[in-house]
Amino acid sequence: NKGGVLKTSITTNLGGILAEKGYKVLIIDTDNQGNVALTFGKNPDIFENTVYDVLMGLAAEAAIINVYSDSKSEGMIDLLPSNDDMAFLEFDVLTQQEIYKNPFHLLGQAVSHLKNKYDYILIDSPPNLGLTAGNVLSFADNVLIPFQPENYSMRSLVKILQAISNFKNEHNSNLNVLGVVATLVDTRTTLHAQVLQECRKYCLENNISMFETVIPRSVRFASSVAYESLPATLSSDKNNKVV
């Protein structure tokens, strides 16, 4: 429920791993910053059709573009992009409730048929708990939660878990928490060590999986995007991993 915790980096890098394994992946970007497109060297501002138009009624196929194909594994990544138009979604929907009678189910209604076309659909969500995030939670099967061990992080984690529980009860009985993954971790700091310990304890007590994988604070994710227009898991120096 905040920005800058590597939501887009996790989404795009997981997509890269899956594509290299031969899977067909669709990434749906629901954040108006459009950073998934930027990760693959595309300018989100030039797209005529985006996820906003799809939520307003356009066929999803009219907005989807291919951003990566692996000739060896036959894996691929398609993108349903986003841009600044998404900033108007909440206003446009909530002021026309006679048209959009199920505002939290717009995404599911628009893209559910794509589950038969792709092996995985990954959704990059916005850094707030508004209408857009509600649509993501109403459509998704699993939620992966990035957790940056800073001040107030536990409070944000508790809030997002409560929101997930509410949407599971009211809108999506199939929704599950896949797990929590620590991001931007600096293991040299006492604060990070303490907050991570607190998070692991909370997850254990509430039967929530917390992954052993810890993503360190590193420039590698940004560098691969800047110099190769690819997520780090698809970059040419991906074997030189930071641990």
Side-chain angles (χ1 to χ4, degrees):
N1 189 24
K2 66 190 293 288
V5 295
L6 300 190
K7 289 191 296 294
T8 301
S9 294
I10 290 175
T11 304
T12 54
N13 280 284
L14 282 177
I17 291 171
L18 293 168
E20 282 211 322
K21 292 180 179 295
Y23 293 111
K24 292 178 172 59
V25 179
L26 172 66
I27 297 179
I28 301 176
D29 190 357
T30 63
D31 187 352
N32 69 288
Q33 295 180 86
N35 286 336
V36 175
L38 291 172
T39 300
F40 291 94
K42 310 291 184 182
N43 181 358
D45 296 329
I46 68 173
F47 293 128
E48 182 176 348
N49 297 321
T50 67
V51 68
Y52 169 84
D53 301 287
V54 172
L55 293 173
M56 294 293 99
L58 180 73
E61 289 80 358
I64 291 173
I65 61 171
N66 177 257
V67 291
Y68 178 79
S69 296
D70 190 321
S71 58
K72 293 181 180 179
S73 70
E74 298 186 354
M76 49 86 79
I77 300 174
D78 280 352
L79 170 63
L80 179 51
S82 180
N83 60 21
D84 287 336
D85 288 347
M86 276 298 286
F88 300 97
L89 178 72
E90 192 156 340
F91 178 83
D92 291 342
V93 170
L94 297 182
T95 57
Q96 302 181 77
Q97 292 191 30
E98 71 281 1
I99 299 175
Y100 307 106
K101 299 182 184 302
N102 296 302
F104 286 122
H105 293 274
L106 296 175
L107 182 63
Q109 293 168 358
V111 302
S112 287
H113 66 285
L114 297 176
K115 289 184 176 183
N116 296 322
K117 181 178 179 180
Y118 296 95
D119 299 304
Y120 289 91
I121 297 177
L122 306 178
I123 310 172
D124 189 20
S125 62
N128 57 66
L129 290 176
L131 177 64
T132 301
N135 270 269
V136 173
L137 294 176
S138 295
F139 173 63
D141 297 314
N142 296 285
V143 181
L144 177 62
I145 304 173
F147 178 83
Q148 183 183 7
E150 299 287 354
N151 290 327
Y152 312 119
S153 293
M154 283 303 304
R155 184 170 182 269
S156 294
L157 177 62
V158 172
K159 281 183 173 292
I160 189 64
L161 288 170
Q162 184 59 56
I164 291 169
S165 177
N166 291 341
F167 270 88
K168 182 180 179 71
N169 293 332
E170 298 178 19
H171 300 284
N172 183 1
S173 60
N174 296 318
L175 184 64
N176 293 297
V177 177
L178 185 64
V180 176
V181 58
T183 66
L184 298 170
V185 176
D186 186 346
T187 55
R188 298 169 298 178
T189 68
T190 302
L191 173 63
H192 280 206
Q194 289 176 341
V195 176
L196 278 179
Q197 184 178 11
E198 182 181 357
C199 182
R200 291 190 185 281
K201 179 182 178 182
Y202 178 85
C203 288
L204 182 63
E205 292 175 347
N206 290 274
N207 198 30
I208 299 167
S209 174
M210 184 166 183
F211 292 99
E212 292 297 325
T213 299
V214 172
I215 301 176
R217 187 181 297 277
S218 168
V219 299
R220 185 167 174 267
F221 299 107
S223 295
S224 62
V225 172
Y227 296 115
E228 298 190 56
S229 296
L230 285 171
T233 51
L234 293 175
S235 67
S236 59
D237 65 340
K238 64 186 175 182
N239 292 322
N240 300 321
K241 296 184 177 179
V242 177
V243 296

